[in-house]
Amino acid sequence: MSQYGQQQQGYPGQYNNAGYDNSGTYPPQQQQDPNYGNGSAPPYSAYPVAGGMGQPNNSSPGGGYPGSPGFNPSAVNGSNYNNNNLNHSNSHNSQYNNGPMNGGYDANNNNGNANYGQQYQSGALNYQQSIYNPSSHHQQQQNQNQSQSQNYNQSQQQPGMSPGTNNGPAPVPNRAQAPQPEGDYPVVMAIDFGTTFSGVAYALKADGEVHDMTKWPRHLAQYPKTPTLSLYKKDSQKILDWGHAARLAMLKPSAKDFCLLRKFKLQLDESIHQAPLENGISALDAVTHYLKKLHGHVLSELMKGFIKNYEPSQFQYCLTVPAMWSDAAKNTMRRAAIGAGLIQEGDPPNRLILISEPEAAAMYCERMVDRFSLKHGDRFMICDAGGGTVDLIVFEVSEPPGQARHLKEVTRGHGASCGSVFLDANMERLLERKFKRYRRGIKACGWASLMDTFVDMVKPMFNGQEDVLMQIPQATGLEDLNDSEIGLEDGVLCVSVEEMKAEVFEPVISDVLDLIHKQLHQSQNCSAIFLVGGFGSSRYLEERVRQDFSHLVGLVAVPQRPELAVVRGAVYAGLNTKTINMRVARRWYGVDANMPFEEGVDPESKKIISHDGHIRCKERFSVYVRPGQQIGVDECVSKEYVTWSYPKGLDSPLYVCNSPNQPKYITDPGVQKIADFHIPMPEIPGAQPRTRVVFKLNMYFGLTEVRAEAVINGNTYTTICSFGSRSS
Ligand SMILES: Nc1ncnc2c1ncn2[C@@H]1O[C@H](COP(=O)(O)OP(=O)(O)OP(=O)(O)O)[C@@H](O)[C@H]1O
Ligand SMILES: [Mg+2]
């Protein structure tokens, strides 16, 4: 059963789904909801505002605005307008003129004064408000009449009873949540939870100076981040240690009783198939345990310094996430942050900001923009090459005269698993081959130590010009070995530069170059490429990117401390949430809607007859946002619905689809339900159960996380969004 009735979904050549409901059945006997019409109607059916929906008897005078030209499919189709009822509160005129997401439908049309162009251009896409302007007395009267006349089946509905049951006292209506005030936090702490290394930085909002966290337990190396590693006893779910200490514990003989969880961040990426974690814990638990340890350490360090004057409750958190993560994965991060005690469940949503990693890096590089003299309209690419993934995205500098500088996302960020750990994997294969005949004699901890030598000493120094000399560690038992066949002399292994390139670096670097190439193709023009992330500091990678792209972009640069670009940038994001004001949607977002049935096109199995007698097609994917669409961060995509579920709230599913082609049905391959938005129902004085309630569902896709709010009776309520997650 569709949970949404959507009033308009007309694209050129398609129908406007003016007026439909979800209660309709075809054939009636088979698809009629058994509860319908017997006093226990489905409490969560939503109906469109448009005329013609709902019970036929209820169509007048408030029964869906009969006769309104705006709801007449032929009139709308004839207008050649893409009126799929999106109300972009910030109108970006030109970009909505094409494609299925053509914005809003002019209210005037409903009064017979169609003036689309002008209204559209002016950004006054105010279709709903004009119909349902709460201040319009006439309209309110209509609604009132509607409310009263829409209590269908009232004869069977006992007053004061739940619409969903035939007996028992009326339930207390769901408490509507008033929008929470934004919290005010004097300290910003950013956490870059990486696949291989995690970093923390913080700042006081008062001075904006960013401090890196560099004191980590058992920290030996120069690298300013701490390893994303957790130590557990085998078959135990209690974390014993983390970071460097976890790594060192595995070098001890007792290591056989332990397991070291590594790269568990990748478990949150649905596109990568990962074996379950060794000790059987969920990805959510693994992330939660690690964050709790990391955060506990950082707090204890901060409390030794000047931050001790602040309570942890005064901290705001910015957590970075890969650009390619799904909404479910991002939601898992939010839940992990709650589980780890960074924030509490009931905190204002802005206490934790999730920010995409390349976006955070862009905020960092943006500080260098003046230095590189990028001007209004110039574009630059961020290539965040980390341990696991390489993420790319292109931003445009927007600095109209007299206005503050902003960054606009201009490409759909893209990434792939071709980070620095793939160099390690290639090197390990090369070493396995070289040490084949000695391999059985080398203990696990000796081999781990050999690999550490590569990761910590050899890899960062590789410049693509000199042969590599690698000191074989004592722990291998081969420290004095000579074997000219494999290039080993007095315990020092020599690998030629050609071999290093061909076997270790080039297979990974060619993937990175390919990603850059694709982003450049998407962006058309681009003035600079900034390499960030640990792998971004590789001199050989920098050189290769220069070779291939400097003639196209002019500037290839690695900012200072590239490995800290993401975490420092995330602090800047917390300090100034307004720098990035435009993002690009990565996938189709839509809801489930009933639309006019297209004979010969829609499958018969989806045919239903709605209560207004119209033949409809159920389970149509009604688009909110399409991939590649630019959306302002504060931009609201709004649709309006009617429900008779009062006094119950609504649960409305949100669907996504990654395919490049627009999905037609929510049952199409690749369409996934990602979330249920719970829309609470406020108490409406004097309203009867099943009163017809109009609500507007506003969605914000320009934030890193999808947010929704419902506007009911002129009041705004935040909706509670629950994401399904395979990793929970
Ligand atoms: N100079 C270098 N050359 C190549 N690799 C390097 C260099 N310096 C550090 N690395 C590698 O970079 C990785 C760490 O980078 P970073 O801290 O950006 O990754 P991460 O944030 O853990 O990963 P991700 O962003 O994919 O989640 C490690 O694999 C490290 O070995
Ligand atoms: Mg990273």
Side-chain angles (χ1 to χ4, degrees):
M1 180 179 64
S2 294
Q3 301 211 346
Y4 273 81
Q6 184 195 349
Q7 67 192 33
Q8 293 165 14
Q9 186 65 31
Y11 312 145
Q14 287 189 309
Y15 294 96
N16 173 31
N17 70 330
Y20 53 87
D21 67 24
N22 302 302
S23 61
T25 58
Y26 185 85
Q29 296 84 347
Q30 282 168 20
Q31 295 203 15
Q32 180 97 41
D33 189 309
N35 291 328
Y36 230 87
N38 65 2
S40 56
Y44 299 141
S45 292
Y47 292 77
V49 175
M53 76 293 183
Q55 300 295 297
N57 292 344
N58 297 331
S59 58
S60 180
Y65 310 96
S68 157
F71 299 118
N72 174 343
S74 56
V76 172
N77 286 337
S79 75
N80 256 347
Y81 257 80
N82 272 346
N83 56 332
N84 56 335
N85 189 30
L86 299 183
N87 185 5
H88 297 268
S89 59
N90 294 351
S91 127
H92 302 281
N93 298 330
S94 56
Q95 73 228 19
Y96 296 120
N97 283 330
N98 306 316
M101 295 309 292
N102 197 355
Y105 189 69
D106 187 347
N108 290 340
N109 189 35
N110 293 290
N111 304 324
N113 301 327
N115 189 8
Y116 304 105
Q118 194 186 340
Q119 287 285 330
Y120 183 71
Q121 293 299 327
S122 67
L125 305 175
N126 224 355
Y127 176 58
Q128 291 88 347
Q129 274 181 16
S130 300
I131 307 171
Y132 286 109
N133 184 349
S135 63
S136 152
H137 176 75
H138 173 70
Q139 200 63 64
Q140 278 183 340
Q141 192 59 50
Q142 277 203 333
N143 285 344
Q144 194 75 40
N145 295 340
Q146 174 88 6
S147 301
Q148 280 154 14
S149 64
Q150 292 285 341
N151 289 326
Y152 61 89
N153 290 326
Q154 255 193 343
S155 56
Q156 293 171 49
Q157 177 75 43
Q158 300 298 309
M161 289 180 69
S162 155
T165 57
N166 286 327
N167 47 38
V172 178
N174 290 344
R175 277 260 160 264
Q177 278 199 338
Q180 281 177 297
E182 295 233 315
D184 189 17
Y185 304 99
V187 185
V188 179
M189 185 194 292
I191 300 179
D192 168 15
F193 167 66
T195 312
T196 51
F197 285 86
S198 295
V200 174
Y202 56 94
L204 282 180
K205 281 189 183 165
D207 64 21
E209 195 184 330
V210 178
H211 306 269
D212 307 320
M213 179 73 213
T214 50
K215 278 193 189 164
W216 299 109
R218 313 291 297 274
H219 192 57
L220 307 169
Q222 292 295 310
Y223 206 61
K225 295 164 78 178
T226 192
T228 308
L229 295 172
S230 296
L231 186 77
Y232 292 80
K233 208 154 189 200
K234 277 185 180 155
D235 304 323
S236 156
Q237 312 219 333
K238 188 171 178 304
I239 185 166
L240 296 176
D241 227 324
W242 65 287
H244 286 290
R247 177 160 112 165
L248 293 175
M250 289 310 280
L251 298 176
K252 294 181 188 159
S254 57
K256 62 181 183 343
D257 300 328
F258 299 129
C259 67
L260 186 68
L261 297 192
R262 56 176 92 219
K263 292 192 257 172
F264 43 90
K265 179 180 175 180
L266 299 180
Q267 299 269 337
L268 299 186
D269 185 345
E270 282 102 345
S271 66
I272 307 173
H273 179 73
Q274 290 284 314
L277 292 170
E278 215 178 314
N279 60 342
I281 64 168
S282 68
L284 172 65
D285 283 346
V287 179
T288 305
H289 296 170
Y290 182 82
L291 280 183
K292 191 170 180 179
K293 289 283 185 192
L294 176 105
H295 181 238
H297 169 78
V298 173
L299 276 190
S300 71
E301 284 298 318
L302 293 194
M303 289 308 153
K304 293 176 194 163
F306 66 99
I307 299 281
K308 67 173 176 291
N309 301 327
Y310 297 89
E311 293 289 320
S313 61
Q314 293 178 291
F315 289 26
Q316 180 176 33
Y317 292 89
C318 294
L319 207 47
T320 60
V321 289
M324 60 182 176
W325 265 11
S326 69
D327 297 282
K330 286 182 243 179
N331 195 251
T332 303
M333 262 329 260
R334 184 169 277 278
R335 283 187 292 148
I338 293 170
L342 275 63
I343 62 162
Q344 319 301 317
E345 190 94 51
D347 285 342
N350 76 319
R351 179 140 193 241
L352 174 67
I353 300 170
L354 295 189
I355 175 159
S356 91
E357 289 164 8
E359 209 169 271
M363 304 271 291
Y364 180 65
C365 294
E366 197 255 347
R367 305 255 156 170
M368 309 176 70
V369 161
D370 280 338
R371 197 138 62 84
F372 293 116
S373 65
L374 291 173
K375 326 169 289 300
H376 176 71
D378 284 347
R379 294 178 171 193
F380 66 91
M381 183 190 298
I382 294 294
C383 173
D384 176 14
T389 54
V390 177
D391 278 301
L392 302 97
I393 197 159
V394 177
F395 290 89
E396 185 175 301
V397 178
S398 167
E399 199 171 15
Q403 286 184 34
R405 183 193 286 265
H406 287 298
L407 298 181
K408 288 197 289 190
E409 241 183 38
V410 288
T411 58
R412 237 176 113 192
H414 183 57
S417 294
C418 49
S420 192
V421 294
F422 295 91
L423 300 176
D424 308 349
N426 291 348
M427 186 66 185
E428 186 158 20
R429 266 193 297 274
L430 181 71
L431 291 173
E432 291 274 7
R433 217 173 54 231
K434 286 190 182 288
F435 288 102
K436 202 168 166 197
R437 79 174 81 136
Y438 310 104
R439 183 67 183 91
R440 290 183 65 185
I442 305 174
K443 292 201 184 100
C445 60
W447 190 257
S449 180
L450 180 67
M451 283 309 302
D452 283 349
T453 308
F454 170 73
V455 171
D456 297 336
M457 322 282 285
V458 175
K459 180 172 73 167
M461 305 300 290
F462 185 71
N463 59 11
Q465 283 164 15
E466 289 148 35
D467 293 346
V468 157
L469 295 177
M470 186 169 168
Q471 183 90 42
I472 304 301
Q474 244 183 352
T476 57
L478 308 174
E479 73 270 25
D480 297 324
L481 199 73
N482 284 294
D483 183 340
S484 57
E485 226 174 275
I486 59 169
L488 192 62
E489 199 178 323
D490 294 335
V492 175
L493 180 74
C494 178
V495 188
S496 74
V497 64
E498 287 75 27
E499 202 171 10
M500 285 301 287
K501 282 187 192 172
E503 304 267 332
V504 180
F505 279 83
E506 278 303 322
V508 181
I509 285 185
S510 66
D511 285 351
V512 179
L513 298 176
D514 202 38
L515 288 173
I516 296 176
H517 185 76
K518 285 187 180 136
Q519 280 289 303
L520 280 182
H521 184 70
Q522 248 197 74
S523 164
Q524 306 297 333
N525 67 71
C526 182
S527 309
I529 297 175
F530 291 108
L531 293 170
V532 299
F535 189 14
S537 60
S538 158
R539 280 196 281 166
Y540 184 58
L541 176 65
E542 184 186 347
E543 189 43 43
R544 292 289 285 110
V545 174
R546 248 196 206 114
Q547 261 173 24
D548 282 24
F549 300 105
S550 58
H551 64 289
L552 293 174
V553 297
L555 176 76
V556 173
V558 181
Q560 272 184 1
R561 306 311 305 254
E563 68 282 10
L564 293 173
V566 168
V567 75
R568 286 181 180 177
V571 177
Y572 295 140
L575 293 173
N576 181 4
T577 50
K578 299 279 182 231
T579 303
I580 293 179
N581 69 349
M582 192 74 83
R583 293 192 171 89
V584 177
R586 287 175 169 72
R587 39 189 84 92
W588 297 95
Y589 285 93
V591 295
D592 176 3
N594 294 342
M595 297 192 194
F597 191 83
E598 291 179 74
E599 286 295 345
V601 177
D602 290 321
E604 288 294 311
S605 59
K606 294 198 187 293
K607 196 182 238 182
I608 56 167
I609 297 182
S610 53
H611 282 261
D612 60 2
H614 288 145
I615 299 173
R616 310 263 174 217
C617 174
K618 64 177 182 174
E619 297 175 339
R620 285 287 298 270
F621 187 102
S622 159
V623 175
Y624 256 79
V625 169
R626 68 182 154 80
Q629 182 181 337
Q630 277 198 323
I631 312 170
V633 283
D634 298 324
E635 186 172 324
C636 162
V637 186
S638 180
K639 296 190 182 205
E640 200 164 76
Y641 304 96
V642 170
T643 178
W644 281 270
S645 74
Y646 188 82
K648 286 200 169 185
L650 302 157
D651 283 309
S652 304
L654 178 70
Y655 293 87
V656 293
C657 180
N658 283 314
S659 112
N661 301 323
Q662 179 177 341
K664 191 157 187 191
Y665 308 102
I666 57 155
T667 48
D668 282 356
V671 176
Q672 269 182 302
K673 176 176 145 181
I674 53 153
D676 275 311
F677 285 107
H678 180 73
I679 301 163
M681 183 66 71
E683 255 182 79
I684 302 175
Q688 299 291 313
R690 310 256 182 108
T691 287
R692 181 178 186 272
V693 176
V694 177
F695 69 96
K696 195 154 69 176
L697 185 58
N698 298 336
M699 296 220 195
Y700 298 86
F701 296 91
L703 305 161
T704 308
E705 295 169 281
V706 178
R707 287 264 172 82
E709 67 190 19
V711 183
I712 306 177
N713 242 25
N715 298 316
T716 303
Y717 304 95
T718 53
T719 62
I720 299 151
C721 173
S722 54
F723 286 81
S725 168
R726 90 184 168 139
S727 17
S728 51

